C-alpha cells in the first residue's frame, strides 16, 4: 500500500533517531515494537504476535509461525522526535537481518526476557552491536511472568556481556504483583491503566515502602554515570547537580558506549513502553551524534571521510533488497548528501549509473512517497537495477566506496528440482530473486547431478525458503533432505606466481601476480590483503585480484566445497599500460588460488554449532546422554529457577531432528537454541562418507 505525500513535515536531523529492536527469540521484541506504534499513534489498533496481527510481522510465514523472519522498518513520532525503527528477527537462522540492520543504525534497544535473561542469541546480537559500535539501551521485559528476576538479568548483562548497566527504572513488584514502574530520574512511580491498554498513565509520588530502595538505586545510578563524566562528577561532589545535568551526562556516556541504560516493564501488559520511548529520544544518538562515515576512493585507494551533512557529496549504503511486483525496493541509509527522485547516482562496486525513480518512507510493507531524502535518513528506493546488498551509492563526480557488509557462511544445504520441466526456468528465476533479497541464501547448479543446490543458515531458514517458493512465487518443487555444507582450507602457507597473458591479434590480456596464501582461523571466509607497495599493481586491479580469488574460493577446492579460513596476500605483480584489465587480473587471482591449492595440503572442515538447551531438572540425565551420543562437548551447566541450562558445542551433522528428540525426552518441556560456532577439521570417518 502506498501513499504519496511529498509535503510531509519532518523535524531537524538532530531530533531524529534510527534505532533497532534486537533480542533473542521470544524475548518480546515484536510486541515492544507493536506497543511503540500504538502509543505513538502510528497504529490505531494494537497488533499481537500470537494472533498473527502484528504490523511489523507482515509476511504470511511470520504470521503463521509467530516469529520475525525479515527485518521491517517503520518511521513514527514521539513528542518532538522522529524515530525510524527496524524490528529484527530473534532466531539465529535469520541473523543476517540483524547484521545488516546494525550496520546502518545509530542506536539499539536490546530486549531481554525478565525470566530467561541473557540467552544465546542475546549474546550474538550484543556482540554484533559491539562490532559496529552501536550505542544501546536495555529493556527488561516480561516482568509479569512467573520466575521474573529483574536484578538477576541486570547482573547477567554485566557479567555475561561485559557491559556497565545503569538502571534508570525499577519494577514495583514482580510476577503477578508487578504493578508499576519507578522512574529513578524523576523519582516518581508510573502506573499504566489496563482499561486503556496502558495509554492512560498516572504519575505519583513513590510509596513510602519503596522510597529507601529507590533512593539507594538512584544514588548508584548517579555515581555510575559520574565515573564516566567529569562534568557531572564535579557538580555531584559540589552538591548542585540537577536532573537535566544527569540526563545530559547519561546521554554522553550512552553515546560513547561507556554505559547501557536499563529500563523495565511488560510489553504484553502495557507497562513501561512510554518511559522507553522517552529514553530513546533522551539518550540514544541522532545521526549527527555519530562519527562520520569512512570509505575509500575506488580507483585511488585513498581514505575519504564524510560527515552527516546534507550539503556534502552523496554517500549512501544499500543494506537490504525486497522483491516487489512494481519494482524491487532497495533500502538505503544516507550518510551524507541528498537523494532526490528523478536523479542518477553512481554505484562504484558495479561501475554502473543507477536511476532514482521513487523514494519512500517505510511502514512495514506500506509506504509514504517523498521527493527528497538527506543525510541521516533510512529510506527505500525504487529504480535500482544492478545494486545489491552492501553496495555504495554516491555522486557521479565524487566517488566513494563504503565498507561492505559481511555475512556468515551458510552451514546447511539441500537439493531442489522443479516438479515439471516447464518450471525449470521459473525455478532459476525464483532462486535468483530470493538470493538477491537474502545474502545468506545461496544456490548453484551441480554439474554432476544437474540439480540445483540451495544453502542457508539452518533447517528453519530452508523451511521458510520452501514455503516462500510455493506461496509467493507459485512454484511447486521437490526437495532433498537437508545436508551439511562442508568447507575446505589449506593447512600451511604457500607462495605462488600466476600470469594471465593472452594475445589474439588485437588488444590482449596481461596480468601477473605474486601471492601468498595462509591459513586464517580467525576469519570465516577468505580475507584479502594488499601488500603491494611498489605501485606495480594499481588499487583498481588489486580489487579485481580480490574478486577473482573470492569467486574461485566459492567455486570450491579439491573436494568441491567452498574454501574458507584463508588469507590471500597480494605481494607484487606486473601490469601492462594497454593490455591489462580487470578481467585479466581477476583471472590471474583465480589462477593463483588454484595453484596454491594444488601446492598446499588441504583439510575438510565441518560446521560446529553452539547449543543452549533448557530443560526441567528431572530430565537432565536423559538429555545429557542424548547430547553425548551426538558428540556434543558440554562447556557449562547452570541452574535458572527450576530449569537446568546446558551450554555445548556439537557437529551439525549430528543435530538434524534434534527438536523432535528433545520434545520426546522432556515431554515437550525442553527448549533449545542452536547457532553456528565455528568450522573445525572433520574427523576421518566424515571424510570417507563424503567421498565414498
Amino acid at each position: 500500500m502506498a501513499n504519496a505525500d511529498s509535503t510531509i513535515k519532518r523535524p531537524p536531523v538532530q531530533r531524529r533517531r534510527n534505532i533497532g529492536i534486537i533480542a533473542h527469540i521470544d524475548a518480546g521484541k515484536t510486541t515492544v515494537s507493536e506497543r511503540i506504534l500504538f502509543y505513538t499513534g502510528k497504529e490505531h489498533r494494537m497488533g499481537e504476535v500470537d494472533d498473527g496481527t502484528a504490523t511489523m510481522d507482515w509476511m504470511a510465514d511470520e504470521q503463521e509461525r509467530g516469529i520475525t523472519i525479515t527485518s521491517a522498518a517503520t518511521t513514527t513520532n514521539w513528542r518532538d522526535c522522529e524515530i525510524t525503527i527496524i524490528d529484527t528477527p530473534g532466531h539465529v537462522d535469520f541473523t543476517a537481518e540483524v547484521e545488516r540492520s546494525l550496520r546502518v543504525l545509530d542506536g539499539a534497544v536490546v530486549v531481554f526476557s525478565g525470566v530467561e535473561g541473557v540467552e544465546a542469541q542475546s549474546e550474538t546480537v550484543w556482540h554484533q552491536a559491539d562490532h559496529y559500535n552501536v550505542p544501546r539501551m536495555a529493556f527488561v521485559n516480561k516482568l509479569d511472568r512467573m520466575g521474573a528476576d529483574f536484578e538477576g538479568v541486570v547482573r547477567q548483562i554485566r557479567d555475561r556481556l561485559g557491559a556497565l548497566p545503569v538502571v534508570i527504572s525499577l519494577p514495583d513488584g514482580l510476577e503477578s504483583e508487578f504493578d508499576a514502574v519507578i522512574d529513578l530520574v524523576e523519582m516518581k512511580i508510573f502506573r499504566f491503566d489496563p482499561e486503556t491498554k496502558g495509554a492512560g498513565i498516572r504519575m505519583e509520588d513513590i510509596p513510602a515502602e519503596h522510597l529507601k530502595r529507590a533512593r539507594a538505586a538512584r544514588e548508584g545510578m548517579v555515581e555510575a554515570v559520574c565515573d564516566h563524566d567529569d562534568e557531572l562528577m564535579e557538580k555531584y561532589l559540589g552538591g548542585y547537580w540537577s536532573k537535566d545535568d544527569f540526563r545530559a551526562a547519561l546521554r554522553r556516556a550512552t553515546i560513547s558506549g561507556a554505559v547501557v541504560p536499563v529500563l523495565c516493564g511488560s510489553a504484553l501488559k502495557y507497562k513501561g513502553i512510554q518511559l522507553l520511548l522517552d529514553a530513546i529520544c533522551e539518550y540514544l544518538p541522532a545521526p549527527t551524534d555519530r562519527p562520520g562515515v569512512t570509505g575509500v576512493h575506488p580507483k585511488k585507494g585513498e581514505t575519504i571521510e564524510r560527515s552527516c551533512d546534507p550539503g556534502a557529496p552523496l554517500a549512501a549504503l544499500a543494506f537490504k533488497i525486497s522483491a516487489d511486483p512494481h519494482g524491487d525496493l532497495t533500502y538505503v541509509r544516507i550518510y551524507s548528501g541528498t537523494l532526490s527522485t528523478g536523479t542518477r547516482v553512481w554505484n562504484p562496486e558495479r561501475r554502473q549509473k543507477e536511476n532514482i525513480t521513487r523514494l519512500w518512507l517505510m511502514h512495514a510493507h506500506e509506504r509514504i512517497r517523498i521527493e527528497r531524502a538527506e543525510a541521516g535518513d533510512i529510506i527505500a528506493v525504487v529504480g535500482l537495477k544492478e545494486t545489491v546488498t552492501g553496495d555504495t551509492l554516491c555522486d557521479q563526480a565524487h566517488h566513494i566506496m563504503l565498507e561492505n557488509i559481511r555475512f556468515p557462511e551458510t552451514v546447511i544445504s539441500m537439493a531442489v528440482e522443479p516438479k515439471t520441466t516447464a518450471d525449470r526456468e521459473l525455478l532459476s528465476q525464483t532462486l535468483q530473486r530470493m538470493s538477491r533479497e537474502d545474502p545468506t541464501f545461496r544456490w548453484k547448479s551441480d554439474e554432476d547431478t544437474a540439480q540445483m543446490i540451495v544453502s542457508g543458515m539452518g533447517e528453519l531458514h530452508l523451511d521458510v525458503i520452501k514455503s516462500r517458493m510455493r506461496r509467493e512465487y507459485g512454484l511447486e518443487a521437490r526437495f532433498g533432505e537437508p545436508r551439511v555444507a562442508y568447507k575446505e582450507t589449506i593447512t600451511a602457507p604457500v607462495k605462488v606466481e600466476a600470469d594471465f597473458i593472452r594475445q589474439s591479434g588485437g588488444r590482449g590480456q596481461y596480468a601477473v601476480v605474486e601471492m601468498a596464501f595462509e591459513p586464517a582461523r580467525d576469519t570465516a571466509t577468505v580475507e584479502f590483503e594488499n601488500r603491494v607497495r611498489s605501485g606495480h599493481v594499481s588499487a583498481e586491479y588489486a580489487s579485481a585480484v580480490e574478486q577473482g580469488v573470492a569467486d574461485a574460493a566459492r567455486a570450491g577446492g579439491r573436494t568441491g566445497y567452498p574454501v574458507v579460513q584463508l588469507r590471500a596476500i597480494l605481494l607484487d605483480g606486473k601490469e601492462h599500460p594497454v593490455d591489462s584489465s580487470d578481467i585479466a587480473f581477476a583471472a590471474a587471482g583465480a589462477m593463483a588460488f588454484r595453484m596454491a591449492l594444488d601446492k598446499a595440503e588441504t583439510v575438510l572442515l565441518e560446521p560446529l554449532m553452539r547449543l543452549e538447551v533448557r530443560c526441567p531438572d528431572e530430565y537432565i540425565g536423559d538429555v545429557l546422554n542424548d547430547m553425548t551420543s551426538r558428540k556434543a562437548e558440554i562447556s557449562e551447566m547452570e541452574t535458572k529457577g527450576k530449569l537446568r541450562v546446558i551450554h555445548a558445542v556439537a557437529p551439525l551433522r549430528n543435530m538434524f531432528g534434534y527438536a523432535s528428540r528433545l520434545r520426546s525426552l522432556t515431554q515437550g518441556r525442553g527448549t533449545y537454541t542452536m547457532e553456528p560456532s565455528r568450522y573445525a577439521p572433520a574427523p576421518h570417518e566424515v571424510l570417507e562418507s563424503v567421498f565414498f
Side-chain angles (χ1 to χ4, degrees):
M1 179 178 176
N3 297 307
D5 188 0
S6 59
T7 62
I8 183 171
K9 292 183 179 179
R10 306 179 63 196
V13 68
Q14 291 81 4
R15 299 304 300 164
R16 298 181 197 171
R17 304 288 181 267
N18 296 319
I19 68 162
I21 312 289
I22 59 178
H24 183 95
I25 191 170
D26 287 336
K29 169 182 43 59
T30 298
T31 304
V32 169
S33 299
E34 293 299 316
R35 300 303 185 253
I36 287 175
L37 296 182
F38 179 74
Y39 296 131
T40 58
K42 190 72 177 182
E43 289 291 329
H44 301 294
R45 176 181 173 276
M46 200 175 290
E48 301 291 350
V49 174
D50 291 342
D51 59 18
T53 59
T55 303
M56 303 298 272
D57 287 350
W58 57 271
M59 289 174 59
D61 271 289
E62 293 178 313
Q63 293 169 353
E64 284 184 5
R65 298 169 190 264
I67 62 171
T68 303
I69 292 171
T70 183
S71 56
T74 188
T75 301
T76 188
N77 291 275
W78 181 249
R79 298 183 178 170
D80 62 344
C81 269
E82 178 186 277
I83 307 174
T84 296
I85 301 168
I86 297 183
D87 177 36
T88 63
H91 197 286
V92 66
D93 281 19
F94 310 107
T95 189
E97 294 289 332
V98 184
E99 188 78 27
R100 60 179 164 193
S101 298
L102 287 172
R103 171 69 173 81
V104 299
L105 291 169
D106 298 317
V109 175
V110 188
V111 180
F112 298 95
S113 165
V115 180
E116 285 80 13
V118 176
E119 300 176 86
Q121 186 67 359
S122 308
E123 295 187 55
T124 299
V125 298
W126 191 274
H127 295 317
Q128 285 174 302
D130 280 339
H131 176 72
Y132 292 112
N133 297 315
V134 176
R136 69 214 80 148
M137 59 177 53
F139 182 74
V140 183
N141 191 29
K142 299 189 176 183
L143 292 179
D144 60 301
R145 293 265 303 275
M146 185 175 294
D149 181 4
F150 175 70
E151 292 181 0
V153 177
V154 174
R155 284 195 300 272
Q156 289 178 23
I157 293 172
R158 180 186 298 107
D159 298 340
R160 291 185 62 173
L161 302 178
L164 179 58
V166 175
V167 175
I168 62 174
S169 68
L170 291 175
D172 174 16
L174 291 171
E175 301 180 339
S176 61
E177 296 181 358
F178 177 46
D179 185 54
V181 175
I182 298 171
D183 185 326
L184 296 177
V185 181
E186 289 291 339
M187 282 302 280
K188 296 288 184 180
I189 190 166
F190 288 80
R191 303 189 186 280
F192 305 87
D193 180 15
E195 295 297 321
T196 59
K197 295 187 175 180
I201 306 174
R202 297 197 319 274
M203 184 176 72
E204 302 172 354
D205 291 335
I206 299 172
E209 63 267 26
H210 296 309
L211 206 50
K212 183 178 179 180
R213 170 175 167 245
R215 284 172 175 164
R218 190 179 202 237
E219 194 75 8
M221 172 188 78
V222 177
E223 289 178 356
V225 177
C226 282
D227 288 341
H228 297 277
D229 194 273
D230 292 340
E231 186 177 333
L232 181 64
M233 174 67 83
E234 183 179 340
K235 293 181 178 181
Y236 176 71
L237 292 176
Y240 58 91
W241 67 279
S242 68
K243 288 183 288 188
D244 287 342
D245 292 330
F246 174 78
R247 290 191 181 99
L250 179 55
R251 176 177 176 78
R252 290 191 291 268
T254 302
I255 292 174
S256 71
V259 304
V260 177
V262 180
L263 298 97
C264 64
S266 169
L268 189 65
K269 299 297 183 182
Y270 321 115
K271 293 180 174 71
I273 301 300
Q274 293 94 328
L275 297 183
L276 174 63
L277 278 164
D278 287 343
I280 288 170
C281 296
E282 196 72 55
Y283 306 122
L284 288 181
T288 48
D289 294 317
R290 299 283 283 148
V293 70
T294 301
V296 296
H297 192 285
K299 290 187 176 181
K300 302 176 183 177
E302 300 170 347
T303 300
I304 304 171
E305 292 188 9
R306 296 274 173 82
S307 60
C308 183
D309 177 5
L314 175 69
L317 186 75
F319 68 94
K320 177 180 170 70
I321 293 173
S322 180
D324 189 274
H326 306 294
D328 287 354
L329 289 174
T330 304
Y331 288 76
V332 171
R333 165 66 193 258
I334 304 175
Y335 289 98
S336 68
T338 59
L339 201 56
S340 302
T341 57
T343 59
R344 301 185 89 184
V345 297
W346 178 252
N347 182 331
E349 193 84 36
R350 310 295 151 198
R351 300 186 185 182
Q352 294 282 341
K353 294 177 182 178
E354 293 274 33
N355 295 316
I356 306 299
T357 307
R358 290 186 296 277
L359 299 177
W360 303 100
L361 279 179
M362 298 302 298
H363 177 44
H365 63 302
E366 300 178 3
R367 30 187 132 149
I368 298 173
R369 186 168 178 176
I370 56 176
E371 297 300 320
R372 180 178 178 275
E374 62 183 27
D377 283 340
I378 293 178
I379 44 94
V381 178
V382 177
L384 306 182
K385 302 297 184 184
E386 304 295 331
T387 299
V388 300
T389 298
D391 282 1
T392 301
L393 300 175
C394 63
D395 285 351
Q396 296 185 59
H398 302 88
H399 291 188
I400 186 175
M401 189 179 295
L402 305 178
E403 181 185 356
N404 211 315
I405 308 172
R406 297 189 181 275
F407 296 103
E409 286 294 299
T410 57
V411 297
I412 188 172
S413 62
M414 65 182 177
V416 56
E417 58 184 29
K419 285 189 175 180
T420 66
T421 306
D423 281 340
R424 182 165 293 278
E425 182 63 27
L426 177 59
L427 174 62
S428 179
Q429 292 174 357
T430 299
L431 295 177
Q432 193 165 3
R433 291 194 72 178
M434 296 183 81
S435 63
R436 180 171 160 81
E437 283 189 79
D438 182 355
T440 58
F441 171 65
R442 312 273 170 78
W443 67 280
K444 66 178 182 179
S445 177
D446 190 312
E447 295 179 1
D448 296 329
T449 64
Q451 287 180 313
M452 296 290 192
I453 305 298
V454 296
S455 303
M457 297 305 299
E459 289 182 274
L460 178 60
H461 190 194
L462 293 185
D463 192 46
V464 169
I465 293 295
K466 290 193 289 185
S467 175
R468 290 189 62 202
M469 281 184 182
R470 174 179 51 80
R471 191 192 304 270
E472 297 178 27
Y473 297 94
L475 179 65
E476 295 294 336
R478 290 187 289 265
F479 297 89
E481 289 297 316
R483 61 188 189 185
V484 175
Y486 293 102
K487 309 289 185 186
E488 187 178 346
T489 193
I490 63 175
T491 59
V494 61
K495 282 187 179 182
V496 296
E497 183 174 316
D499 57 73
F500 185 80
I501 302 173
R502 303 288 187 272
Q503 286 297 140
S504 55
R507 178 178 174 178
Q509 298 285 357
Y510 185 97
V512 178
V513 295
E514 181 184 336
M515 299 191 70
F517 294 85
E518 60 187 37
R521 302 290 180 256
D522 56 341
T523 181
T525 54
V526 175
E527 186 179 278
F528 182 83
E529 184 180 347
N530 182 6
R531 291 186 188 170
V532 176
R533 298 290 180 263
S534 59
H536 292 168
V537 180
S538 67
E540 179 181 0
Y541 290 150
S543 296
V545 175
E546 179 179 6
Q547 189 62 50
V549 170
D551 290 343
R554 279 193 294 270
R558 289 178 179 177
T559 60
Y561 290 106
V563 176
V564 297
Q565 294 186 3
L566 182 72
R567 183 171 291 109
I569 305 165
L570 179 60
L571 301 173
D572 205 350
K574 297 177 184 177
E575 58 182 68
H576 189 277
V578 176
D579 292 346
S580 287
S581 66
D582 288 351
I583 295 174
F585 273 95
M591 288 175 62
F593 172 84
R594 288 189 290 270
M595 290 169 64
L597 257 63
D598 288 340
K599 194 173 179 181
E601 291 290 328
T602 61
V603 63
L604 187 71
L605 301 173
E606 68 169 344
L608 301 182
M609 310 300 288
R610 185 171 67 162
L611 283 169
E612 185 178 282
V613 182
R614 294 169 180 250
C615 69
D617 189 64
E618 58 262 37
Y619 305 111
I620 191 68
D622 291 340
V623 171
L624 286 174
N625 287 337
D626 181 71
M627 292 179 72
T628 301
S629 72
R630 296 172 185 270
K631 309 295 185 189
E633 295 183 6
I634 312 297
S635 59
E636 183 185 355
M637 288 180 58
E638 57 182 323
T639 301
K640 288 190 176 180
K642 297 180 180 180
L643 294 178
R644 298 293 293 275
V645 182
I646 308 163
H647 301 272
V649 173
L652 175 61
R653 59 188 156 87
N654 295 333
M655 297 308 297
F656 293 125
Y658 185 63
S660 299
R661 180 60 177 161
L662 183 62
R663 282 195 297 269
S664 173
L665 290 172
T666 62
Q667 297 184 19
R669 296 167 66 190
T671 61
Y672 82 103
T673 57
M674 182 169 68
E675 63 181 357
S677 173
R678 64 185 186 278
Y679 271 85
H684 184 68
E685 61 266 22
V686 173
L687 191 62
E688 288 183 337
S689 69
V690 168
F691 289 106
F692 305 105

